[in-house]
Amino acid sequence: MDEAAGQSVPSCGGPPCGGRPMRGGGGRAAEAVAAAAGGRASQVSRARLSRPPWRLPPATLSPLLASMRRMRRSGVPARTRLSANGYYARVHGVSYLIKAFLKKTECNCQIVNLGAGMDTLFWRLKDENLLPKKYFEVDFPMIVARKIHHIKSKPPLSKPIMESHSGDSLLIDSHSLDSSRYSIVGADLRFSSDLEDKLKKHNLDVHLPTLLVAECVLVYMTPQQSAELLKWAASTFPVVMFINYEQVNMTDRFGQIMIENLQRRQCNLAGVEVCRSLDSQRERLLRNGWEAACAIDMMKVYSSLPQADVKRIEGLEFLDEKELFEQLMQHYCICWASKDSSNLGLADITF
């Protein structure tokens, strides 16, 4: 969790290198790029960077290479600065869309957090008096067991669950937790029928407006597996929104460096072909049953932050590698899609 903890294995049968990182703007992929700049793979990266054709314009190339050379000298602190600022934008962007959905539904809804790992969104929403009628988390059983252990052993985590619970049917065992407002479900996202059965056992209501959130999850599934999950969500709930955060623009040279560094860490992005562009991200959603879809890169999200916030976080984590930061942020995106049979105005949600 934010205070304690490790991270999720993505709920897709992939390697333990994705999920919901609490320390950086793009998870292991962001770290992989920063590692290339910071020297872990510097020899290979220098060779790669010297090979034509470089797809960035010349005006961008020189300062970017200079930034990467400076980062090799500064090492871990520079990588941390990139991660901290990027992660701030990620949390802000996802939270903005979640709260917009909660406002449209007046919290008469449910949230399903896919590949939730050690995410703390439930507790943050409770602190802000924004809890939906039911909040679900889904991850592999081994991750679920780990999170339940944290909850049971830490009163600041267990107490809010008890406070929000009503009735007698509170279930906690080693691989599941079910209260009236919060449930954790162990499941594999590659099998949507099994996922639906498990969620319904924890009182999922398919007729209630539903928000599904996936951060660095779909990219670890094959395109066919993620398509099946998206089709299931679009066909199961009459009023539904999906938020997806993951990589984009992965066919350019910068994206290829990200992929190569991940591969050296035995971490393959099974769904990276869908991450070609913002258009390919939107098209995947529309092709799989969603009525409206949008996608923006994380640099646009960062630019939309209140300027007072930007100055504050850049003051805390001095950002002197702006060219590299911008390139990194342009290789992550937030996509969101909706179906809205009740005409709540979900398609109007935007930044």
Side-chain angles (χ1 to χ4, degrees):
M1 303 180 180
D2 284 335
E3 301 79 10
Q7 268 317 298
S8 165
V9 178
S11 298
C12 55
C17 52
R20 204 60 69 86
M22 306 312 295
R23 62 186 182 278
R28 294 288 180 94
E31 291 180 2
V33 176
R40 293 188 188 180
S42 58
Q43 183 176 0
V44 176
S45 297
R46 283 195 295 271
R48 293 289 186 185
L49 292 173
S50 67
R51 295 175 189 172
W54 180 273
R55 298 188 186 183
L56 297 176
T60 303
L61 175 57
S62 295
L64 180 57
L65 288 174
S67 292
M68 295 177 80
R69 284 193 290 270
R70 287 195 298 272
M71 285 194 69
R72 279 198 291 273
R73 292 194 293 270
S74 60
V76 172
R79 295 198 295 272
T80 302
R81 289 196 294 272
L82 290 178
S83 294
N85 290 59
Y87 187 62
Y88 185 90
R90 169 181 173 176
V91 171
H92 174 88
V94 173
S95 296
Y96 176 88
L97 293 174
I98 290 171
K99 290 177 182 178
F101 178 85
L102 290 169
K103 184 177 180 180
K104 292 285 188 182
T105 61
E106 298 180 343
C107 293
N108 183 33
C109 62
Q110 58 197 358
I111 294 176
V112 183
N113 196 334
L114 302 170
M118 299 297 167
D119 192 72
T120 58
L121 178 59
F122 169 82
W123 288 269
R124 286 181 277 135
L125 292 177
K126 186 178 186 304
D127 286 345
E128 297 180 51
N129 198 30
L130 288 173
L131 276 184
K133 291 187 70 173
K134 188 71 179 276
Y135 183 95
F136 299 87
E137 292 184 348
V138 182
D139 216 311
F140 281 137
M142 63 178 289
I143 303 300
V144 166
R146 182 178 164 198
K147 187 162 190 176
I148 290 173
H149 172 75
H150 278 291
I151 291 170
K152 289 167 66 176
S153 61
K154 293 178 173 58
L157 299 177
S158 57
K159 186 178 177 182
I161 296 172
M162 300 299 296
E163 289 174 347
S164 63
H165 178 67
S166 59
D168 299 324
S169 58
L170 193 152
L171 167 68
I172 300 179
D173 60 32
S174 59
H175 290 98
S176 64
L177 185 157
D178 187 26
S179 73
S180 58
R181 303 292 293 276
Y182 176 65
S183 291
I184 310 179
V185 179
D188 189 327
L189 298 180
R190 294 174 299 179
F191 307 106
S192 55
S193 59
D194 179 59
L195 171 64
E196 182 174 348
D197 289 342
K198 289 183 176 180
L199 287 170
K200 285 183 174 178
K201 288 180 181 177
H202 289 69
N203 298 310
L204 178 79
D205 182 354
V206 297
H207 302 292
L208 198 62
T210 301
L211 171 65
L212 299 102
V213 182
E215 297 183 54
C216 287
V217 172
L218 299 188
V219 71
Y220 291 99
M221 306 169 71
T222 67
Q224 181 179 356
Q225 289 165 350
S226 63
E228 289 174 358
L229 179 65
L230 291 168
K231 286 177 184 175
W232 165 77
S235 63
T236 299
F237 306 99
V239 180
V240 61
M241 180 171 166
F242 197 105
I243 299 172
N244 179 40
Y245 168 89
E246 64 183 4
Q247 291 87 341
V248 74
N249 296 324
M250 296 299 281
T251 58
D252 67 16
R253 194 72 200 107
F254 195 94
Q256 290 301 305
I257 292 173
M258 293 171 67
I259 293 170
E260 290 162 7
N261 279 290
L262 281 165
Q263 288 173 341
R264 291 187 193 99
R265 298 178 178 205
Q266 289 77 52
C267 187
N268 295 314
L269 303 180
V272 74
E273 68 181 73
V274 185
C275 303
R276 295 186 306 275
S277 66
L278 294 174
D279 284 341
S280 69
Q281 290 280 11
R282 282 190 294 264
E283 288 166 6
R284 168 171 61 174
L285 294 162
L286 295 171
R287 190 169 57 247
N288 288 300
W290 296 84
E291 295 172 352
C294 301
I296 59 174
D297 68 48
M298 291 305 297
M299 196 61 220
K300 290 188 178 179
V301 175
Y302 191 77
S303 300
S304 76
L305 294 173
Q307 285 304 300
D309 283 356
V310 171
K311 290 180 180 178
R312 179 174 61 85
I313 62 174
E314 290 187 354
L316 293 171
E317 297 285 353
F318 180 65
L319 188 64
D320 58 349
E321 308 296 341
K322 290 189 176 180
E323 297 92 346
L324 184 58
F325 176 72
E326 289 179 6
Q327 288 296 321
L328 181 60
M329 296 291 276
Q330 288 165 0
H331 286 78
Y332 285 87
C333 68
I334 292 182
C335 318
W336 64 102
S338 61
K339 283 185 62 180
D340 189 3
S341 65
S342 296
N343 296 316
L344 298 180
L346 299 182
D348 298 332
I349 292 175
T350 189
F351 280 86

